[in-house]
Amino acid sequence: MAAKVARDVFGLPVPEDTCWRLGPETVTVLGPLELHLDVALVGGNPQRPEYAIIQEVQNTCTADDLARIRSSWPEYVTNLRKRLGCPVVLLAYCPIERVAAAVGQPIHTGHPGFVFTPITYWPGRLGPVTDPDQAREWPELVLLSAPGHVQDESRRPVLEMVLRALETFGPERGLIYYDYISARLPEAARIELEAIMSISVENYQWESEFARRHQAIGHAEGKAQGVAEGRAEGKAEGEASAILTVLAARGIEVDEAARERILACADLERLSDWLTRAVTVAAVAELFDSP
């Protein structure tokens, strides 16, 4: 995936038709010192590397972090380039744009013309994935980019692709990645994702063990009550409950009349529209406005 990001997002001359393997995670320099990389990928064959990518994950940008980065990252690149004899690029994934901006500042080495600038990216820098085929081919890309696109018009299809991406993993990894993405989504988006997963139980023929396990967990937690039995009224109750939960999480006041209207609605299409609106409306009355 790092090669795809380097090529598609930043336009770097990364070879397309090449075999990638994990490279050294340590680079020995003069003396006993070792530089510890997060991940290094080497393209080509072991006898003749063509391109190398160092992938770092940087979650914070404290003064100590920046001092370490300035002293070590240029050395990562120059030493790995010397060792492999091929072009080397360093990518740094950050959770938010502010961290990426701080980490991506030019590093002046002191030598004229030798300024090292880390290439940084964050969820919003990656494009939204809304195509099911791409979601299945690049599931990790879906999970990395999703938190950056749940506040715009792509929110609903992006969250639906999270579901498709999670299905590509085995049962254990699927649950781990579900925990990962849940912790990184805003509360309203997380609730909507859970509603999508619950409602989809009746509309999708589950193939993966992860999906079946999540379905069972959702039932055990009592989410989307009635969906397990497949009753239409149960699905409507689950959708209505999700709407009220999203509104509550956003601090939107719901009067008794509006609550009764939502809970009494049995039209799944209308409930789905209300759930989508619940993430952005400023008042509960806007929920019922005609499109």
Side-chain angles (χ1 to χ4, degrees), residues 10 18 93 98 108 130 274:
F10 298 103
T18 189
Y93 175 78
R98 177 181 60 82
H108 297 271
T130 57
W274 287 352

Side-chain angles (χ1 to χ4, degrees), residues 48-206:
R48 189 176 180 181
E50 298 176 12
Y51 205 92
I53 300 173
I54 298 171
Q55 175 65 70
E56 293 286 311
V57 176
Q58 187 61 45
N59 292 315
T60 56
C61 57
T62 66
D64 288 343
D65 291 329
L66 297 178
R68 174 183 53 79
I69 286 168
R70 293 187 183 108
S71 65
S72 61
W73 284 9
E75 200 170 1
Y76 289 179
V77 173
T78 55
N79 277 281
L80 193 58
R81 178 175 176 272
K82 180 180 179 181
R83 176 171 175 173
L84 299 177
C86 68
V88 178
V89 65
L90 186 146
L91 303 179
Y93 175 78
C94 305
I96 57 175
E97 185 175 3
R98 177 181 60 82
V99 173
V103 170
Q105 291 299 308
I107 299 171
H108 297 271
T109 65
H111 184 83
F114 185 10
V115 179
F116 177 79
T117 303
I119 299 175
T120 61
Y121 63 104
W122 61 99
R125 182 68 173 83
L126 301 171
V129 179
T130 57
D131 177 73
D133 292 335
Q134 188 180 16
R136 294 187 182 95
E137 182 180 4
W138 298 100
E140 293 88 354
L141 184 61
V142 175
L143 301 182
L144 286 180
S145 64
H149 301 282
V150 292
Q151 306 289 355
D152 56 31
E153 66 278 2
S154 301
R155 182 193 70 261
R156 183 77 177 195
V158 162
L159 291 176
E160 290 173 351
M161 291 310 102
V162 168
L163 176 58
R164 297 295 174 256
L166 289 171
E167 281 206 281
T168 65
F169 303 111
E172 300 303 326
R173 290 182 64 203
L175 291 173
I176 291 172
Y177 280 118
Y178 177 74
D179 287 341
Y180 168 88
I181 190 65
S182 295
R184 284 157 180 78
L185 291 177
E187 180 70 9
R190 182 185 61 77
I191 293 170
E192 185 173 1
L193 174 61
E194 292 177 353
I196 290 171
M197 297 185 76
S198 296
I199 293 164
S200 295
V201 168
E202 293 302 315
N203 301 323
Y204 186 77
Q205 184 62 44
W206 298 104

